[in-house]
Amino acid sequence: MKTETIAVEPASTRRRFRIDLKDYGVLIGLLVLVIFLSVSTDTFLSSQNLVNLLDQAVVIGLIAIGATLCITSGVFDLSASANLALSAIIGVYLTQAFGVGLGFVLALGVGAALGALTGTLIVATKVHSFIGSLAMSIIYRGLAVVLTAGAIVAPLGDQLEGFRVWTRSVFGGVSAATLLLVVGLVVFGLVLWGTTYGRRIYAVGGNPEAARLSGVRTELIHISVFAISGLCSSAAGMVLASRAGSAQPAMATGLELTAIAAVVIGGTSIMGGSGAVWRTAVGVLILTVIANGFNLMGWDTTYQQVVTGALILIAVAADSLLVQRLRKR
């Protein structure tokens, strides 16, 4: 009797296909958006629009870099935008006292210190990072109001031109702020992907107890990713202040939620242990392209929030299904 042989796909191949789909599905989504807008409008692929598109992605992108490291390690930083505002305000005061260059560098240090403070308090009190960082966000916003008395602060008159350095075109019309974002993406992308520290971030996010038993100091990892988030937030704050020529307590309110949305859309698991900075960059571009497309097409931007929310829901649901299926394997 003749028997029929049925080829069975190895489980490792099926798992690799699902991971590849998660990795590159977001790229496919971005490509579809680009093709649609390229066909539907005459201006999307114009050099000026592309330069503007990259410039619009800078602030969200910088915050999202820090959010990627935080979420991958298993924590959330909801204090990012408040850190941005407070460090930008302090940065303006430091600029008044020490000049533009040193003021910017010191502002980065302030942001990193505020992030580290947030992480330390969360680790020390063992409060969930969602609640702890939200509380610190309120505190930082309050401090920003106290420092400025609710007013707008600006550098000295002769410092204003130098202070607006991040708005200058430096390469083919691309702004200095865009180059700053690219440097941040490359540096922290390599840190997360190719260093021992990055592997520890993945380990802590995937299974903190196992990481601890393996000798990883999980508390220090969490404090450090909050510090990096603060560093990125302060850089975004100085870019915003540079564009406006000033800083004020209400700047960038709620922007951390948009950054987290970009991270999730980019495929970083909200459960921790999985994420990549390059995918976050794609998620940022998707949100930026959608906003740009609504403007170019003349659509009601009210529906942009609906589209963004739907994308977040799809990304989270897909991640949840993927995790469940991999656990069954």
Side-chain angles (χ1 to χ4, degrees):
M1 181 177 178
K2 186 177 179 180
T3 59
E4 182 178 358
T5 302
I6 301 176
V8 178
E9 183 183 14
S12 60
T13 302
R14 292 194 297 270
R15 183 177 183 274
R16 185 167 59 252
F17 172 76
R18 290 192 183 98
I19 293 175
D20 289 344
L21 185 62
K22 181 178 179 180
D23 283 346
Y24 302 110
V26 65
L27 281 175
I28 295 173
L30 177 61
L31 181 61
V32 168
L33 283 173
V34 169
I35 292 174
F36 172 75
L37 291 175
S38 301
V39 173
S40 303
T41 69
D42 298 326
T43 55
F44 178 75
L45 290 180
S46 66
S47 58
Q48 185 59 53
N49 186 63
L50 293 178
V51 167
N52 291 338
L53 194 69
L54 293 174
D55 210 36
Q56 292 163 11
V58 170
V59 175
I60 294 296
L62 288 170
I63 300 174
I65 292 172
T68 301
L69 270 65
C70 284
I71 294 174
T72 301
S73 74
V75 294
F76 290 89
D77 184 10
L78 295 185
S79 67
S81 68
N83 187 324
L84 178 157
L86 182 56
S87 57
I89 289 168
I90 296 175
V92 170
Y93 286 136
L94 291 171
T95 296
Q96 294 174 354
F98 302 109
V100 174
L102 187 55
F104 179 78
V105 173
L106 292 175
L108 295 182
V110 169
L114 292 174
L117 175 61
T118 300
T120 300
L121 291 175
I122 288 173
V123 167
T125 60
K126 301 189 184 303
V127 174
H128 193 282
S129 60
F130 190 94
I131 300 300
S133 61
L134 178 60
M136 294 305 295
S137 173
I138 297 171
I139 292 172
Y140 293 156
R141 287 285 179 189
L143 288 174
V145 173
V146 169
L147 285 176
T148 62
I152 296 174
V153 296
L156 303 176
D158 59 346
Q159 296 174 332
L160 188 57
E161 183 178 354
F163 190 74
R164 296 178 66 87
V165 61
W166 299 110
T167 65
R168 297 176 185 171
S169 298
V170 293
F171 180 75
V174 174
S175 70
T178 300
L179 292 184
L180 177 65
L181 173 61
V182 171
V183 170
L185 290 170
V186 171
V187 170
F188 288 108
L190 291 176
V191 166
L192 187 59
W193 173 73
T195 67
T196 300
Y197 173 67
R199 289 192 291 274
R200 288 175 178 173
I201 289 177
Y202 284 119
V204 171
N207 191 327
E209 183 60 21
R212 186 185 65 81
L213 293 175
S214 299
V216 178
R217 301 184 67 178
T218 57
E219 296 87 355
L220 288 182
I221 294 296
H222 283 154
I223 292 172
S224 67
V225 294
F226 274 108
I228 292 173
S229 179
L231 176 71
C232 294
S233 296
S234 60
M238 293 307 289
V239 168
L240 270 182
S242 176
R243 289 174 178 174
S246 62
Q248 46 101 0
M251 64 192 300
T253 300
L255 216 57
E256 71 278 5
L257 298 179
T258 305
I260 291 174
V263 174
V264 173
I265 291 171
T268 296
S269 174
I270 60 172
M271 306 301 292
S274 173
V277 172
W278 74 264
R279 288 206 307 259
T280 291
V282 178
V284 170
L285 285 176
I286 286 176
L287 291 183
T288 308
V289 168
I290 288 174
N292 184 252
F294 268 81
N295 291 329
L296 294 179
M297 301 289 288
W299 292 343
D300 187 349
T301 55
T302 302
Y303 296 102
Q304 181 182 332
Q305 298 179 17
V306 177
V307 174
T308 302
L311 286 175
I312 296 171
L313 182 60
I314 292 170
V316 173
D319 176 67
S320 178
L321 290 173
L322 179 63
V323 170
Q324 291 177 16
R325 291 186 179 183
L326 290 180
R327 285 176 177 172
K328 290 180 180 179
R329 299 292 175 183

